[in-house]
Structure formats: structure tokens, C-alpha cells
Amino acid sequence: MNSYIKVQVSIYISIVVFSLFLNSTNSYAQPSGFLYGNEITKGSTIYIISNHDTTLINNEVYSNYEITKDSIPFFFKGEFITADSIHYTLMDSSQFINEISAIKEDWLLFVHGAGKTFNNAVHRGYDVQHYHKVNVIVFSWPSRNPNISPGENLKTMRPNVSKSMVHYKYILSLMRTFREKNKGFATHTLSAIYHSIGNQFPKNLALEDSAFANQGPIFKY
């Protein structure tokens, strides 16, 4: 099976899995806030990799809704305080990989779709983590700028996927290292969900860099 077919199968599985999640939670409209905010335990953590051009001020992340010019994305740990308050800690890649590798449980990379700001993506990541009882790593990329019209957002989303490919490939390389370093994957799983236009990431990879896409499986469903 060539790399393109493998990725197409992966995309199909991702769509099916996430559709089941949406159906089970009656969240077809994908609201911007939490679905389970009143059920998430204070102090619950989540991990985020983001290529938003961001600034961290007093444990809050501020984005200008653009893609960072750096080739390496940002790494954050979020701590749930309330549905209106998440405290973020900025980490470097070594801190990030060391910390998640120490948690020998099931893990999921969540690549969100259209209409998500940084905070919206984290909210949805928490919902997925709470509902499926799995540790979530969110890849937050600029798919919504609330300062422009919905029509303008539609025009920028697909180009933003293309501009984000360098960061996506970095994340996949990191996930490969994560799989090798976390000894818990002998009995636990590392999987991925690509939602909506987020499926464009593996598709682009298969079309643009077949050598990278064919390096062997990272995720297990």
C-alpha cells in the first residue's frame, strides 16, 4: 500500500471517529465554548502545540490570529481553573517531550478544523479529553480570525494549512520521538483525530512529501 493510500485510509478513519464523537454529544454546531466545562476537574491539564503568533501574559495566551514566522511552534501546558479561566505555561520542546513522555497512558493528537481560535481549540481539546478519557495534545493553528468576516475566514483557512505544513511536519517528527521515548506505548496507544479541514494536513503531506509520509506509522487507532 503506497503512502497516499495509507493517508487516505487514515483520513477516512479520522472522519468516522470524530463523527461518532459529534453524534454522541449532540454538538453538530460545534459551539465555541466548553461542552463539559462544569464536569472538568479543577487542575486538569492539557498540552498544546501551536503555530499561532502568540504572547503569554500573566498565564494567558494572546494571539494575533497569524502564523508565527518561526519554524518551530510554541509549546504550552494548560491548567483548567474554571470554564472561564485556563492558566498556561510556556515550555520548550525538551520540557514538553520529557513531561508527556513521563505519562504512560493513552494519548491523542487532536488537529482541529475550521472556525477555531487558540482558546476555542483548547476548549474542544479539553472536551475530547474529558469525554474519551485520553490525554490530548492539541495542534492549534489559525483557522479563525474573529476580526474578519466569515467569508474572509473561508478564504484564509486553506492557505493557512499550506503555510502550517512546516510546523505539522515538525509535530509529526516530535510524535515519532514521543512514541519511541514513552515506554507506556508498549501497552497504550498514540492516536490522532483530524477534524474538518484539519484533514488537509495529512493530505498535503502525502501529495507534497511522499518520502516523509512513508517513513512508517506513528499513530495507532
Side-chain angles (χ1 to χ4, degrees):
M1 185 182 293
N2 64 38
S3 61
Y4 180 78
I5 295 175
K6 288 179 181 177
V7 171
Q8 293 306 307
V9 171
S10 173
I11 290 171
Y12 175 78
I13 293 173
S14 300
I15 293 171
V16 170
V17 171
F18 204 85
S19 295
L20 290 173
F21 168 67
L22 294 181
N23 289 336
S24 64
T25 58
N26 295 316
S27 59
Y28 301 102
Q30 283 290 280
S32 59
F34 285 96
L35 296 176
Y36 300 104
N38 62 342
E39 299 178 21
I40 298 172
T41 305
K42 182 178 180 179
S44 295
T45 58
I46 197 167
Y47 293 87
I48 308 105
I49 306 174
S50 176
N51 67 341
H52 281 260
D53 187 13
T54 56
T55 304
L56 184 68
I57 302 175
N58 295 329
N59 297 111
E60 293 189 25
V61 174
Y62 296 88
S63 168
N64 65 3
Y65 312 111
E66 299 290 338
I67 296 173
T68 179
K69 293 180 173 59
D70 293 335
S71 59
I72 297 176
F74 296 98
F75 301 88
F76 298 97
K77 178 169 72 173
E79 180 185 359
F80 185 91
I81 307 302
T82 69
D84 298 318
S85 178
I86 298 174
H87 286 187
Y88 294 99
T89 302
L90 180 65
M91 312 172 79
D92 63 32
S93 59
S94 295
Q95 290 174 307
F96 187 89
I97 197 71
N98 287 338
E99 190 156 323
I100 62 176
S101 294
I103 302 173
K104 297 175 176 58
E105 299 172 0
D106 293 328
W107 282 90
L108 172 74
L109 175 68
F110 171 50
V111 182
H112 65 80
K116 296 290 183 288
T117 63
F118 178 91
N119 287 328
N120 296 156
V122 174
H123 294 167
R124 193 60 63 244
Y126 261 115
D127 285 332
V128 172
Q129 180 167 273
H130 175 77
Y131 185 82
H132 287 290
K133 310 303 180 189
V134 62
N135 297 286
V136 168
I137 300 167
V138 178
F139 173 33
S140 175
W141 59 281
S143 70
R144 177 179 174 234
N145 182 341
N147 299 321
I148 62 177
S149 70
E152 289 299 314
N153 270 299
L154 286 174
K155 293 177 183 178
T156 61
M157 277 188 293
R158 195 172 295 273
N160 277 355
V161 171
S162 296
K163 294 174 185 176
S164 299
M165 287 304 296
V166 62
H167 303 113
Y168 175 64
K169 288 198 282 188
Y170 182 95
I171 290 168
L172 290 186
S173 295
L174 190 74
M175 291 298 98
R176 191 179 299 281
T177 300
F178 177 36
R179 172 172 284 285
E180 294 168 354
K181 189 168 184 177
N182 190 327
K183 303 305 180 184
F185 291 134
T187 53
H188 294 280
T189 60
L190 173 60
S191 55
I193 286 178
Y194 297 84
H195 179 229
S196 177
I197 197 173
N199 281 287
Q200 194 71 32
F201 284 100
K203 179 181 178 181
N204 283 2
L205 184 66
L207 295 175
E208 299 171 8
D209 195 341
S210 59
F212 188 100
N214 202 34
Q215 289 180 4
I218 299 172
F219 304 110
K220 179 180 179 182
Y221 292 93

